[in-house]
């Protein structure tokens, strides 16, 4: 729209927040904001998570893959 500046580093796409209805604005693995930012000298996100993989996520949250482990009943528990 009018008044929005764009340029060669502009990005568009779905940020894919975890659950914006409940206020959970963490990005998920398929977020358009993932690994497309630039190094602005910010080494951690708002929770203290380190910027990872040498790539930077756009915004205040760095995506961190959940830790998984197998359980004796062959189920999978996911912790994030």
């Amino acid at each position: 729209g009018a008044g929005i500046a764009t340029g060669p580093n502009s990005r568009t796409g779905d940020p894919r927040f975890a659950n914006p209805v409940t206020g959970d604005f963490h990005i998920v693995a398929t977020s358009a904001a993932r690994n497309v930012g630039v190094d602005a000298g910010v080494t951690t996100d708002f929770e203290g998570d380190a910027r990872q993989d040498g790539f930077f996520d756009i915004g205040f949250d760095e995506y961190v893959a959940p830790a998984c482990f197998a359980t004796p009943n062959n189920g999978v528990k996911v912790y994030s």
Side-chain angles (χ1 to χ4, degrees):
I4 297 175
T6 60
N9 294 321
S10 295
R11 299 282 179 184
T12 60
D14 189 343
R16 301 286 317 246
F17 296 125
N19 194 343
V21 172
T22 63
D24 185 353
F25 291 99
H26 289 90
I27 61 172
V28 299
T30 56
S31 172
R34 190 162 171 233
N35 293 338
V36 294
V38 297
D39 182 355
V42 179
T43 58
T44 59
D45 73 359
F46 80 109
E47 296 173 302
D49 295 326
R51 299 295 182 171
Q52 300 179 27
D53 306 346
F55 299 101
F56 299 86
D57 298 340
I58 295 174
F60 78 126
D61 184 40
E62 180 73 11
Y63 174 77
V64 177
C68 296
F69 65 91
T71 61
N73 65 357
N74 293 326
V76 175
K77 291 190 178 195
V78 177
Y79 296 90
S80 58

